[in-house]
Amino acid sequence: MVTAAQPLALPGTRARRPHAALRHLGPNWYAGVMGTAIVATAGAGLPGDVPGLSTVCAAVWALALTLLAVLLGARTLHWAHHRDQARAHLRDPAVAPFYGCLAMALVAVGGGALVVGEAWIGTRAALALDVVLFTAGTAVALTAAVAVPYLLVTRHPAGAAAATPVWLLPVVAPMVSAAAGPLLVPHLPPGQARESLLLACVAMFGLSLLATALMLPAIFARLLTSGPLPAALTPALFLVLGPLGQSTTATDKFARYAPGVVPDPYAQGFGVLALLYGVPVMGFALLWLGLAGAMVLRARRRGMGFTMTWWAFTFPVGTCVTGAEGLARRTGLAAFDGLAVVLYAVLVAAWAVAAVRTGRGLLSGELLAAPRR
């Protein structure tokens, strides 16, 4: 059975056809694109003026765009030549939720085009790219938010002991669109178009937030009643940070782009929401970061090796960086600036480790080998 953790290689496996190596390429690989894109966009919002940082962020975004293009091509070949395996992924409760990663990768790279890529490719190209990727990513996100839970309920229902943070991936995907959509608001004609997009993003925020609120108690109850997750799956605990940091980021974006789009009382209300929602949620995110970090250290001491779940250390932490950056701009508090810098350092370190280990696993063939049961 395919698991959320990427498998080790079986000795002596070799590809007989050019596309044979892609047989076990699952949708979880999009997490690497997400993690790379958030390094670029989160770095662009850091306080101060660090020489060369904008250039580095643009280069990292270009890398994320390249990885997305390559992976989309590889996944297309996977569906064309290994349709049976692709359908098996949809039937596997450990793999199906990762289709939310496809949506988040598309939206994250698209948003990065306007945040950091514009200086390299120009406003028109950046806008066109964001429109295409945001539209496609949002369509996939809304589909996954309905289809994957439906499959979990009807095709492979599991007991409470099987609950993992991976279940959050499809319902968190619309929150990424909610946070990225406001970037397109100023580029639309004034009036109905701008207000419709902004309020659609607010609706996706509510959709994702309430769905997350339904699932989080099951995940926490599973930890309390059944103990720690398997070692290879322990990094997935960091996925809980995703909806927390991304929702804080989204409320800040609503407040920033609402003036002139919605009537004044509501525009001011978004500013109040960004502060009164963002601060307590960021507090809970730090609590969960401490808990998840302790669980990962425990698993590491017990022999936890590298798997593709290590990419969970990147994008969710990055959303907390962008959330802290938004709170810093809104409050003017140096504490939030410092929090953003510290979390960004954690993000870059985690990304570097995951990228190096992934590259090593690809060169050796371990990460694309058939899974062990």
Side-chain angles (χ1 to χ4, degrees), residues 110-138:
L114 286 179
V115 175
V116 295
E118 184 178 358
W120 278 22
I121 64 176
T123 301
R124 172 176 286 185
L127 179 60
L129 183 61
D130 190 17
V131 169
V132 171
L133 294 182
F134 173 79
T135 302
T138 301

Side-chain angles (χ1 to χ4, degrees), residues 166-196:
V166 171
W167 289 4
L168 293 172
L169 289 171
V171 299
V172 171
M175 185 68 79
V176 179
S177 293
L183 295 172
L184 293 170
V185 168
H187 299 280
L188 293 174
Q192 290 277 331
R194 291 185 179 182
E195 186 173 0
S196 296

Side-chain angles (χ1 to χ4, degrees), residues 280-328:
V281 169
M282 186 58 63
F284 180 70
L286 294 177
L287 168 68
W288 191 270
L289 178 62
L291 174 63
M295 297 296 289
V296 167
L297 290 176
R298 177 184 180 275
R300 186 63 172 162
R301 288 196 300 268
R302 285 163 170 77
M304 181 186 76
F306 175 75
T307 66
M308 287 298 288
T309 55
W310 281 35
W311 281 101
F313 298 141
T314 57
F315 190 81
V317 174
T319 66
C320 292
V321 175
T322 56
E325 290 169 349
L327 290 173

Side-chain angles (χ1 to χ4, degrees), residues 314-344:
T314 57
F315 190 81
V317 174
T319 66
C320 292
V321 175
T322 56
E325 290 169 349
L327 290 173
R329 288 189 297 267
R330 196 150 299 280
T331 63
L333 292 176
F336 284 119
D337 281 331
L339 177 61
V341 171
V342 170
L343 290 176
Y344 189 72

